[in-house]
């Protein structure tokens, strides 16, 4: 049973950005973009999460959960039909702790993690976006 006195810090709307894990420091920052969109996380049951992630032309329904710890963890899967084909992505992330000397005006709530494309799908350029690609992501609370 969820403790009613502990608020789930993952619930809400987030700005999501993901970047390819390219070790070449000379790769242009714009060439690292893997994805971006809006992430909306809802509570569907005790320690169970739902919601959506999406942007222009795509949207995935989320199902997953969170765990207490230091830092707190979130794990979910996004599934949807985009352009007539199935997309599935898996996500794991951790809440960024509040810095002792920060202020609410200077530290935005965020969580960071990793995402993988679980099944292949068509790419925007006419090819295939392969399964197994892993990227890093961060999400910052909106509002």
């Amino acid at each position: 049973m969820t403790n009613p006195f502990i608020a789930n810090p993952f619930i809400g709307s987030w700005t999501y950005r993901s970047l390819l894990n390219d070790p070449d420091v000379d790769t242009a920052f714009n060439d690292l973009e893997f994805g971006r969109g809006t992430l909306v996380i809802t509570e569907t049951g005790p320690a169970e999460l739902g919601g959506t992630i999406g942007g222009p032309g795509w949207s995935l329904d989320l199902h997953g959960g969170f765990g207490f710890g230091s830092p707190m963890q979130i794990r979910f899967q996004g599934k949807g039909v985009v352009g007539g084909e199935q997309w599935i992505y898996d996500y794991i992330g951790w809440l960024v702790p509040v810095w002792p000397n920060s202020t609410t005006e200077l530290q935005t709530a965020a969580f960071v993690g990793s995402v993988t494309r679980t099944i292949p799908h068509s790419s925007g350029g006419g090819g295939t976006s392969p399964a197994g690609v892993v990227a890093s992501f961060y999400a910052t609370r909106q509002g």
Side-chain angles (χ1 to χ4, degrees):
M1 178 175 191
T2 302
N3 185 334
F5 300 105
I6 299 174
N8 183 334
F10 296 109
I11 303 302
S13 295
W14 303 81
T15 298
Y16 169 90
R17 294 179 178 95
S18 56
L19 303 168
L20 294 169
N21 294 330
D22 183 342
D24 185 353
V25 73
D26 294 323
T27 300
F29 197 78
N30 286 343
D31 293 339
L32 297 174
E33 184 175 11
F34 185 70
R36 63 174 139 168
T38 299
L39 176 60
V40 178
I41 299 174
T42 60
E43 191 166 35
T44 58
E48 195 171 305
L49 303 174
T52 60
I53 185 170
W58 69 281
S59 180
L60 306 178
D61 292 324
L62 305 178
H63 178 75
F66 69 98
F68 293 98
S70 184
M72 289 183 73
Q73 181 187 70
I74 187 170
R75 189 170 187 141
F76 53 91
Q77 185 174 76
K79 289 183 177 182
V81 176
V82 179
E85 63 184 325
Q86 183 79 37
W87 283 22
I88 302 176
Y89 285 79
D90 284 286
Y91 304 79
I92 189 167
W94 293 269
L95 191 66
V96 175
V98 174
W99 284 96
N101 294 323
S102 71
T103 64
T104 55
E105 297 83 32
L106 299 177
Q107 183 173 352
T108 301
F111 66 97
V112 297
S114 183
V115 55
T116 185
R117 186 180 301 119
T118 308
I119 62 171
H121 60 73
S122 299
S123 69
T128 298
S129 295
V133 174
V134 175
S136 296
F137 76 82
Y138 69 100
T140 53
R141 184 174 299 284
Q142 296 178 349

